[in-house]
Amino acid sequence: MPGADKETDLSERIESFLSELKRCGSGAGSLRGSAETARETTALLRRITAQARWSNAGDLMEIIRKEGRRMTAAQPSETTVGNMVRRVLKIIREEYARSRGSTEEADQQESLHKLLTSGGSSEDNFRQHFAHLKANIIEAINELLTELEGTTDNISMQALEHIHSNEVIMTIGRSRTVEAFLKDAARKRKFHVMVAECAPFCQGHEMATSLSKEDIETTVIPDAAIFAVMSRVNKVIIGTQTVLANGGLRAVNGTHTLALAAKHHSTPLIVCAPMFKLSPQIDVSEILSKVNAHCPLFDYVPPELITLFISNIGGNAPSYIYRLMSELYHPEDHEL
Amino acid sequence: MADSDGRQVVSINHSTEEDVKLQEVVQAKCEGKELTKEEKQRLRKEKKQHKKNKKDDRGPPEKEKEKEKASVLAPSKPATQSPAHKAAPVPVNASASESPVAAEKPAKSKAEQRAERRARQDTERASKQGKKEGGQQSASSKPKATPNELQPVKRLPEHIQVDDPAALKKLAKKLERQQVPLRSDYGYKVSLFSHLHQYSRKNPPTQQISIPATVIHPSIVRLGLQYSQGIIAGSNARSVALLHAFKQVIQDYSTPPNEELSRDLVNKLSPYISFLSQCRPLSASMGNAIKYIKKEISNIPSQCKEEEAKRRLQECIDSYINEKIILASEAISKYAIEKISDGDVILVYGCSSLVNHILCEAFEKQRKFRVIVVDSRPRLEGREALRRLVKKGIRCTYVLISALSYILPEVSKVFLGAHALLANGYVMSRVGTSQIALVAKAYNVPVLVCCETYKFCERVQTDSFESNELDDPDDLIVTRNGKTHLENWQTVKSLGLLNLVYDVTPPDFVDLVITDLGMIPCTSVPVVLRVKNVDQ
């Protein structure tokens, strides 16, 4: 039967996605960037929405939550998977609410009202069936996909606002976002980039070769020389693995040292991170569980050391991140 | 002599005896007789005295005039003899200054002062001459000879003037004269460091020397090769190796006829020092050691027999090593062990012989602690430290410097070694040390620097750019996951690799400096330098 085939096909795809997640851990040079992971996750969720059997929004949310839990369990350090699942859940809620006819305003009566009136939405258990819900949800997910595809470009477009001529910019490791950011600025302006190689995986080497191919003056420095050369650096621009809800970062190891050195010299620290990296978990202890043989993969950088976040929706201070979170995710989805 | 009248006028202050000597000399000159060596020395002594008095009369010293006089005197006599003459008056003056002092009791204090000033000036002249001839590179690390007087700034050392073509030409000419091969820079240099040399390990200057080497002693050639290949690394090891090589040189040295050991040996050492600094720029500790040796050599009295002189020099070198390095490390260990308590978690960086010694001593004295060794690419010296500590039986953990923020919350103390302590309180050490101090400060962990006093130097520096060493850039190339991204970095025009060797740590990051003289704050370094110089 066609239905059964679709189902097996779907489960096959989910399984293959899970195994691929398990295989490539981030930090050891992920085979795919986080943007790609986010896109694949969202595409998979769209497929689930289209092909799985569900009759009302509640069922769909259950299915997606289940799959989401499995996906995050496969690779806990890849937080974009969980973030995308939460985005889709929020989309489902919104579409459901719109189909039911409740106005936008009621939903947007957010933080303060909902804080005070607990269980304002818990009476709503998403059991009503709507005919066009599926189509609406899939359309919304498509919008999300377009947004994801444009994140890097949106961030790069802001490059010229922040980089001027004859600057010395420092970065660490390899971030595809920062690479695109710098390449975009280099089309119009001349500046110098110092890349800290970020041992032991030395991803900075790849970044440096890629940048120098675009005729950007690049220098590779070992991690130990970060503080030594910081006095000549005008800006520090880094990417990150995750943006935490308090405005802090979970970034590649060595970033905390870089942030402290920048703070000491009062050099601005700019983080280029698209919004899909924003994660509601503030669980710092999770970082310590990442250690293998004292080679920690990530650093926690507190929000005091960060000057600016550049994302696809513009520039923000770290103190504003928590507000953006409430726009992207529903509080009930924080725990999948 | 045009200025004989002038000299006579100003020499009212001189004792009559000296006047008589002067008259004799002037007479001899006028009569066209060949001046004897002693007379020449006396003439020069008088000129110096005259200038010293002029200075007292006028006020600010005119060093240019002195240099002028020195250069005027030099061409008139063979070049090799001029430093010797300048060096020889030191013992001669010492005896000569006795006589005027003894002769006149009432004017004793004034003459004594003058004699002291003269002697000091001569030592300063001798060291300056020695510096001019062979130690231009190490000039930056020599302390001022007379701390009580304000000396004008010394000439810029050559090794930080690589971007100046005139300075490079001068160096090339000097090396040619000394028959030392000139080493050429390698690879694209980052523009911020264009004033420094950058050499490749693959072409050491020893390749350009013929076998057997005629000008350069073979033990020096071997030492140069060991330096340039990094076989001997670490400032204590380099200084000790240098002193041992010099002992060998002195052993094999034989004074040529019509030469004095005290002058000729110093001249022999100059091309060796140039060669060594071509192999690898001299460290501050090596500079101080060389200065010490040169002073000892020039202080050998001329009537001393060769064997006796050589034996004396060997003893001097041995006692220097023993005192300044071995005993100093014992003293520092004693102080440092007071600072280590049971249950401590101590963080060390790289491989410092002194810090390793302290930790091994503390372990022997039954202190309970564990060590975290922080290491960094490309040198990975921490592995050597790890090996030594684990062999002793100390519990160790090993991390790379990028994991510093992760590991620091566990640490109770940080022990760092130093390459040199600068006169403004900054600590010059292996690159990465300042980073460790910075992050330790952020976590409120005390930072203790251990450094022997012979590594203190008069130089000042505020950041790591002004004077540094660039190591072979190819060291940064590494293969990961089967790919070597930087393999062809030379072909890419805008790509540069920076392999710094040293960096400077500001004194506000350092809580305590442990030296053989005691435990001092970072800002007391110039005080120690002053005390040391007065002692010498």
Side-chain angles (χ1 to χ4, degrees):
Chain A
M1 284 193 304
D5 283 343
K6 260 203 232 161
E7 269 188 37
T8 47
D9 177 49
L10 180 63
S11 33
E12 259 174 43
R13 280 180 197 272
I14 297 177
E15 292 309 317
S16 68
F17 183 66
L18 283 176
S19 55
E20 217 178 300
L21 272 182
K22 274 204 197 98
R23 227 181 345 169
C24 63
S26 55
S30 24
L31 298 176
R32 53 204 10 218
S34 356
E36 232 182 283
T37 315
R39 253 176 276 138
E40 291 207 6
T41 315
T42 318
L44 188 60
L45 290 172
R46 182 178 58 182
R47 195 176 276 278
I48 294 178
T49 316
Q51 292 176 354
R53 287 227 183 121
W54 53 280
S55 53
N56 54 40
D59 284 345
L60 180 59
M61 280 168 64
E62 269 313 305
I63 295 173
I64 289 191
R65 251 200 216 110
K66 194 178 74 144
E67 296 304 328
R69 268 190 290 248
R70 282 178 66 202
M71 287 195 264
T72 45
Q75 187 59 255
S77 62
E78 193 59 67
T79 44
T80 46
V81 174
N83 295 345
M84 288 301 104
V85 171
R86 291 184 188 92
R87 287 292 290 271
V88 170
L89 287 173
K90 179 137 203 251
I91 287 174
I92 297 174
R93 283 174 203 268
E94 277 178 357
E95 291 303 324
Y96 183 78
R98 200 173 314 151
S99 304
R100 256 191 34 170
S102 35
T103 52
E104 300 280 329
E105 286 167 39
D107 281 337
Q108 237 141 30
Q109 234 190 345
E110 295 182 336
S111 351
L112 219 57
H113 185 240
K114 283 213 173 131
L115 278 174
L116 298 172
T117 64
S118 62
S121 56
S122 59
E123 48 190 86
D124 193 355
N125 54 5
F126 300 98
R127 290 293 155 200
Q128 257 183 299
H129 174 80
F130 291 107
H132 300 287
L133 190 58
K134 193 179 213 169
N136 290 345
I137 292 178
I138 291 184
E139 201 185 310
I141 295 182
N142 283 335
E143 273 174 33
L144 177 59
L145 269 171
T146 0
E147 183 198 316
L148 288 178
E149 272 159 31
T151 46
T152 317
D153 286 335
N154 281 335
I155 294 180
S156 316
M157 268 182 351
Q158 306 175 51
L160 283 174
E161 291 171 22
H162 297 279
I163 299 178
H164 59 80
S165 286
N166 291 328
E167 275 204 301
V168 178
I169 295 180
M170 183 178 289
T171 182
I172 186 169
R174 174 150 194 241
S175 163
R176 288 165 187 76
T177 318
V178 175
E179 207 179 309
F181 190 79
L182 294 174
K183 283 184 183 173
D184 198 274
R187 284 191 289 128
K188 297 268 170 60
R189 307 232 162 109
K190 275 237 145 300
F191 53 89
H192 192 132
V193 177
M194 298 209 152
V195 182
E197 66 182 4
C198 193
F201 304 113
C202 293
Q203 288 185 292
H205 293 190
E206 223 180 306
M207 175 89 155
T209 28
S210 152
L211 286 177
S212 54
K213 289 214 174 74
E214 304 286 323
D215 264 345
I216 303 177
E217 278 283 329
T218 324
T219 307
V220 177
I221 61 172
D223 296 333
I226 287 178
F227 185 72
V229 302
M230 185 57 80
S231 52
R232 291 293 181 281
V233 173
N234 301 118
K235 284 194 178 76
V236 180
I237 301 183
I238 55 176
T240 175
Q241 201 259 352
T242 312
V243 179
L244 303 173
N246 63 347
L249 294 184
R250 186 204 286 180
V252 78
N253 66 338
T255 312
H256 189 212
T257 310
L258 181 63
L260 281 173
K263 187 84 181 186
H264 180 262
H265 287 98
S266 301
T267 309
L269 177 67
I270 298 176
V271 181
C272 288
M275 275 292 110
F276 64 78
K277 286 197 175 161
L278 185 52
S279 171
Q281 290 162 321
I282 326 178
D283 195 0
V284 181
S285 64
E286 218 185 302
I287 295 168
L288 299 178
S289 63
K290 291 286 164 286
V291 173
N292 40 6
H294 294 288
C295 177
L297 294 179
F298 299 114
D299 262 355
Y300 168 67
V301 183
E304 306 71 75
L305 301 176
I306 301 169
T307 317
L308 185 70
F309 279 94
I310 294 183
S311 69
N312 44 313
I313 57 178
N316 293 300
S319 46
Y320 191 66
I321 295 292
Y322 81 98
R323 288 289 291 177
L324 295 174
M325 266 244 308
S326 55
E327 281 177 28
L328 295 178
Y329 310 125
H330 195 273
E332 287 192 2
D333 295 330
H334 285 188
E335 283 300 313
L336 277 179
Chain B
M1 303 295 285
D3 56 349
S4 60
D5 298 325
R7 212 187 300 131
Q8 289 203 7
V9 166
V10 184
S11 60
I12 300 167
N13 299 338
H14 287 206
S15 59
T16 47
E17 244 187 47
E18 295 172 28
D19 248 359
V20 166
K21 280 189 218 154
L22 192 61
Q23 296 279 31
E24 282 176 15
V25 167
V26 169
Q27 248 182 351
K29 275 220 169 105
C30 297
E31 288 166 22
K33 268 196 233 161
E34 175 89 20
L35 283 177
T36 63
K37 229 189 306 183
E38 281 73 27
E39 280 166 336
K40 281 187 198 163
Q41 285 170 6
R42 236 180 292 141
L43 188 65
R44 237 174 294 110
K45 201 173 64 178
E46 290 313 308
K47 276 195 183 156
K48 279 183 224 149
Q49 183 58 36
H50 158 72
K51 266 186 277 135
K52 222 25 190 216
N53 288 336
K54 257 204 215 158
K55 169 191 165 186
D56 290 343
D57 293 342
R58 279 206 221 123
E62 288 173 62
K63 293 291 176 177
E64 300 84 17
K65 218 176 181 188
E66 274 184 357
K67 281 198 183 136
E68 227 183 359
K69 286 233 157 95
S71 56
V72 159
L73 287 171
S76 61
K77 292 159 185 112
T80 49
Q81 284 196 359
S82 55
H85 283 303
K86 299 242 165 51
V90 172
V92 175
N93 261 344
S95 45
S97 56
E98 303 290 305
S99 32
V101 170
E104 310 151 31
K105 286 289 177 177
K108 179 178 181 181
S109 53
K110 233 189 189 174
E112 216 178 50
Q113 279 172 22
R114 249 181 275 132
E116 277 173 35
R117 253 185 270 125
R118 220 180 302 140
R120 237 186 283 134
Q121 204 186 7
D122 289 339
T123 30
E124 180 213 340
R125 176 77 60 69
S127 67
K128 220 194 243 180
Q129 202 62 31
K131 173 200 101 168
K132 255 191 233 167
E133 291 253 333
Q136 269 191 1
Q137 294 85 341
S138 44
S140 52
S141 52
K142 290 183 172 58
K144 301 197 178 103
T146 51
N148 310 343
E149 300 171 33
L150 298 167
Q151 301 282 324
V153 176
K154 302 237 196 294
R155 231 183 325 210
L156 268 185
E158 180 280 325
H159 75 272
I160 59 170
Q161 284 191 289
V162 177
D163 53 350
D164 182 7
L168 283 180
K169 255 201 291 193
K170 229 170 97 182
L171 171 72
K173 267 204 251 169
K174 184 183 91 163
L175 290 181
E176 212 182 296
R177 185 167 38 92
Q178 295 176 330
Q179 295 178 301
V180 170
L182 173 70
R183 201 175 181 189
S184 48
D185 283 358
Y186 166 76
Y188 172 70
K189 245 189 286 183
V190 179
S191 57
L192 283 167
F193 291 95
S194 58
H195 60 294
L196 299 173
H197 282 296
Q198 182 171 280
Y199 297 131
S200 163
R201 197 160 297 132
K202 293 205 258 292
N203 343 324
T206 45
Q207 280 176 352
Q208 303 163 34
I209 298 185
S210 58
I211 296 171
T214 43
V215 177
I216 304 182
H217 193 278
S219 61
I220 300 282
V221 176
R222 192 177 73 172
L223 187 66
L225 188 61
Q226 284 170 329
Y227 282 165
S228 69
Q229 301 300 103
I231 298 171
I232 294 186
S235 72
N236 276 348
R238 284 167 73 191
S239 307
V240 171
L242 177 73
L243 290 169
H244 282 299
F246 275 177
K247 266 173 71 176
Q248 189 65 39
V249 166
I250 292 172
Q251 190 62 39
D252 297 339
Y253 170 77
S254 51
T255 325
N258 302 331
E259 292 285 350
E260 266 200 34
L261 182 140
S262 57
R263 293 171 235 135
D264 188 57
L265 187 52
V266 176
N267 295 341
K268 277 280 187 321
L269 289 182
S270 312
Y272 300 166
I273 295 168
S274 304
F275 173 71
L276 288 176
S277 60
Q278 283 293 298
C279 293
R280 189 171 164 193
L282 297 181
S283 66
S285 51
M286 286 165 70
N288 287 346
I290 290 173
K291 213 174 69 66
Y292 173 77
I293 289 188
K294 285 193 172 168
K295 188 163 100 44
E296 286 302 313
I297 294 175
S298 52
N299 278 345
I300 300 273
S302 40
Q303 60 265 32
C304 200
K305 277 202 306 244
E306 187 176 316
E307 285 310 312
E308 169 69 22
K310 285 208 245 184
R311 192 189 56 79
R312 208 185 279 198
L313 286 175
Q314 309 261 18
E315 269 174 28
C316 277
I317 292 182
D318 280 334
S319 77
Y320 187 83
I321 295 180
N322 202 31
E323 237 177 68
K324 306 277 183 191
I325 302 179
I326 299 178
L327 286 181
S329 81
E330 296 294 323
I332 294 177
S333 302
K334 252 203 350 217
Y335 288 124
I337 288 175
E338 292 169 26
K339 292 290 175 193
I340 299 179
S341 16
D342 283 347
D344 263 346
V345 180
I346 297 179
L347 187 127
V348 298
Y349 176 60
C351 183
S352 164
S353 53
L354 185 55
V355 174
N356 291 341
H357 183 252
I358 292 174
L359 293 176
C360 294
E361 286 275 316
F363 190 72
E364 270 172 30
K365 295 214 165 55
Q366 311 300 328
R367 290 277 197 280
K368 305 273 175 293
F369 59 92
R370 65 182 179 93
V371 175
I372 298 179
V373 179
V374 178
D375 203 6
S376 76
R377 281 198 69 239
R379 280 173 169 246
L380 293 173
E381 288 172 330
R383 296 188 178 177
E384 177 58 36
L386 195 65
R387 213 173 297 139
R388 292 187 200 169
L389 295 174
V390 169
K391 217 165 46 162
K392 254 312 188 174
I394 302 176
R395 255 192 315 152
C396 295
T397 308
Y398 178 84
V399 287
L400 283 180
I401 196 169
S402 35
L404 198 55
S405 325
Y406 164 72
I407 205 95
L408 250 162
E410 308 178 4
V411 173
S412 58
K413 291 188 180 70
V414 177
F415 273 83
L416 299 172
H419 169 257
L421 243 60
L422 305 176
N424 56 343
Y426 280 62
V427 179
M428 183 179 216
S429 185
R430 185 68 78 221
V431 67
T433 311
S434 54
Q435 223 162 290
I436 303 225
L438 167 79
V439 186
K441 188 86 186 171
Y443 281 88
N444 282 325
V445 175
V447 174
L448 294 89
V449 171
C450 308
C451 182
E452 301 95 334
T453 46
Y454 87 106
K455 289 184 189 163
F456 286 21
C457 75
E458 291 274 333
R459 227 172 55 219
V460 291
Q461 219 178 306
T462 50
D463 61 27
S464 318
F465 293 86
E466 294 151 19
S467 171
N468 209 323
E469 195 185 318
L470 294 179
D471 209 355
D472 193 344
D474 289 336
D475 286 347
L476 288 180
I477 301 177
V478 76
T479 308
R480 290 276 183 265
N481 289 338
K483 288 203 269 215
T484 316
H485 291 281
L486 295 179
E487 208 162 4
N488 305 314
W489 69 277
Q490 306 252 37
T491 55
V492 185
K493 190 166 56 86
S494 29
L495 185 58
L497 302 184
L498 184 62
N499 191 355
L500 282 179
V501 180
Y502 299 117
D503 72 9
V504 281
T505 309
D508 32 353
F509 291 161
V510 176
D511 293 304
L512 190 66
V513 178
I514 307 179
T515 68
D516 38 322
L517 294 176
M519 300 195 261
I520 59 174
C522 241
T523 43
S524 299
V525 169
V527 178
V528 171
L529 279 169
R530 189 191 178 93
V531 164
K532 258 194 346 155
N533 287 337
V534 170
D535 282 345
Q536 278 172 10

